[in-house]
């Protein structure tokens, strides 16, 4: 034997077997792999089924050694339920304060339309036959303010022989139509003789004189009960029935522009004071200032104090003049 590795002994049957194995393995190398199988489509509408929890495996009963029982996991404490407090209802809206009523007017007014009255002062006076005999210059009021007499300035010839004469108020007729003699005297025969034969020498005795029961109104002072002056009478308004409706008062001060108002006749009070009859009206300076002015060409608004505003205050600077 020679040195080195021994040669393997290959016989013919072994070599044939090896060739067959090589041919078979080569065929498998060149064969194409089968195509992959398509995956089944998953339905989109099917919801995912939650995996069921696996059941806990039962403890092995066949174990020889006893294992200690597993303690249950401690439960997590549940948080105390939070009770939400109901929101406090808003307080009720405060009731709206009652609207204060408008202040009471200081004076009450009564409208006297033009064409329903005539003024007394300087109005023409005629007899029933239509003859004008003079002009009215005054009215004499008695207790309670009832008219007693009318004072007429009787006309003479060309102004000569003019004189004043008084006639009973019962003979007075008033025509409210404008542009006509305002007063007609329905006189008796004896009274007609007096007007037909005027005499010079001034007025009749007692004409225009004041007394405890007589008050000539024109230029009379109207005061409050406390003696404070309110105004001076400058005219009297008469209706168609010869009843006085109002007096026109000059209420202007010493240095003021002339200011006249119409005072309702019903607001006057006639009282005897210091043995003389006088007219009073309870109107404060504020009420006088709040009175609408009197104008010859406008409807007359006769005023009277509003009793809701209280009585007139004490005498003021104007009343003390």
């Amino acid at each position: 034997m020679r040195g080195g590795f021994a040669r393997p002994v290959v016989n013919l049957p072994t070599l044939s077997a090896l060739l067959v194995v090589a041919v078979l393995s080569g065929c498998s190398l060149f064969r194409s792999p089968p195509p992959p199988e398509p995956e089944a489509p998953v339905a989109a509408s099917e919801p995912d089924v939650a995996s069921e929890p696996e059941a806990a495996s039962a403890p092995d009963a066949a174990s020889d050694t006893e294992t200690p029982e597993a303690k249950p996991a401690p439960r997590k404490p549940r948080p105390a339920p939070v009770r939400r407090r109901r929101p406090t209802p808003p307080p009720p809206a405060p009731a709206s304060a009652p609207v204060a009523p408008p202040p009471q007017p200081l004076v009450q007014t009564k409208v006297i339309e033009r064409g329903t009255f005539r003024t007394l002062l300087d109005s023409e006076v005629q007899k029933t036959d239509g003859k004008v005999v003079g002009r009215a210059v005054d009215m004499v009021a008695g207790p309670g303010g009832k008219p007693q007499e009318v004072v007429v300035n009787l006309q003479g010839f060309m102004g000569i022989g003019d004189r004043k004469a008084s006639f009973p108020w019962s003979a007075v007729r008033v025509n409210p139509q404008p542009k006509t003699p305002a007063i007609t005297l329905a006189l008796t025969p004896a009274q007609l003789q007096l007007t037909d034969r005027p005499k010079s020498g001034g007025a009749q005795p007692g004409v225009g004189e004041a007394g405890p029961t007589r008050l000539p109104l024109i230029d009379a002072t109207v005061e409050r009960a406390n003696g404070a002056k309110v105004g001076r009478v400058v005219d009297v308004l008469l209706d168609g029935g010869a009843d006085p409706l109002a007096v026109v008062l000059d209420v202007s001060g010493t240095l003021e522009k002339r200011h006249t108002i119409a005072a309702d006749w019903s607001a006057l009070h006639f009282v005897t004071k210091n043995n003389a009859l006088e007219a009073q009206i309870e109107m404060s300076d504020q009420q006088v200032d709040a009175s609408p002015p009197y104008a010859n060409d406008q409807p007359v608004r006769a005023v009277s104090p509003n009793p809701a505003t209280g009585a007139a205050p004490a005498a003021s600077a104007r009343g003390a003049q």
Side-chain angles (χ1 to χ4, degrees):
M1 239 178 118
R2 294 180 184 176
F5 294 97
R7 291 185 181 179
V9 179
V10 181
N11 51 14
L12 184 56
T14 304
L15 183 59
S16 300
L18 290 175
L19 288 174
V20 172
V21 171
V23 171
L24 294 175
S25 62
C27 292
S28 62
L29 290 176
F30 292 102
R31 183 180 298 173
S32 58
E37 295 181 0
E39 296 180 358
V42 180
S45 60
E46 295 182 1
D48 296 338
V49 180
S51 57
E52 297 180 356
E54 297 180 357
S57 57
D60 297 336
S63 58
D64 298 333
T65 60
E66 293 183 0
T67 58
E69 295 182 0
K71 295 182 179 181
R75 295 182 179 180
K76 293 182 179 181
R78 294 183 179 179
V82 179
R83 293 183 179 179
R84 295 183 179 180
R85 300 180 60 183
R86 294 183 178 179
T88 305
S96 57
V99 179
Q104 293 287 339
L106 295 177
V107 293
Q108 296 175 332
T109 59
K110 181 176 69 176
V111 178
I112 307 175
E113 296 291 342
R114 293 284 174 177
T116 61
F117 70 92
R118 298 298 291 270
T119 58
L120 171 75
L121 185 63
D122 207 30
S123 293
E124 287 186 324
V125 179
Q126 65 180 1
K127 296 189 299 181
T128 54
D129 59 2
K131 181 182 178 180
V132 176
V133 296
R135 291 182 178 272
V137 294
D138 208 343
M139 185 187 82
V140 179
K146 184 178 180 180
Q148 289 185 340
E149 299 173 359
V150 58
V151 180
V152 181
N153 187 31
L154 299 176
Q155 298 175 346
F157 179 73
M158 297 182 65
I160 300 174
D162 292 355
R163 64 192 178 95
K164 293 181 180 179
S166 62
F167 302 93
W169 194 261
S170 59
V172 173
R173 305 291 183 267
V174 176
N175 183 9
Q177 298 300 323
K179 298 181 181 181
T180 60
I183 297 176
T184 299
L185 293 176
L187 301 173
T188 63
Q191 294 168 336
L192 284 173
Q193 293 178 0
L194 179 63
T195 59
D196 290 337
R197 295 191 303 246
K199 297 180 181 179
S200 60
Q204 293 176 244
V207 173
E209 292 182 2
T213 59
R214 294 168 49 88
L215 175 63
L217 281 176
I218 301 301
D219 287 333
T221 299
V222 179
E223 302 177 346
R224 304 185 186 106
N226 57 13
K229 179 181 176 181
V230 177
R232 178 177 61 89
V233 178
V234 296
D235 211 341
V236 181
L237 308 183
L238 305 173
D239 65 7
D243 293 324
L245 296 174
V247 292
V248 181
L249 297 178
D250 183 354
V251 295
S252 53
T254 304
L255 301 177
E256 291 180 279
K257 184 180 178 181
R258 188 177 184 185
H259 179 203
T260 55
I261 64 172
D264 197 314
W265 183 263
S266 62
L268 296 176
H269 307 286
F270 293 84
V271 297
T272 302
K273 185 177 180 181
N274 298 327
N275 202 28
L277 187 65
E278 65 178 35
Q280 297 179 354
I281 187 170
E282 291 302 322
M283 289 186 68
S284 65
D285 288 345
Q286 292 78 12
Q287 290 172 324
V288 171
D289 294 338
S291 301
Y294 171 82
N296 292 325
D297 56 347
Q298 296 179 2
V300 177
R301 289 178 289 174
V303 300
S304 58
N306 189 350
T309 59
S316 61
R318 180 190 299 172
Q321 293 176 355

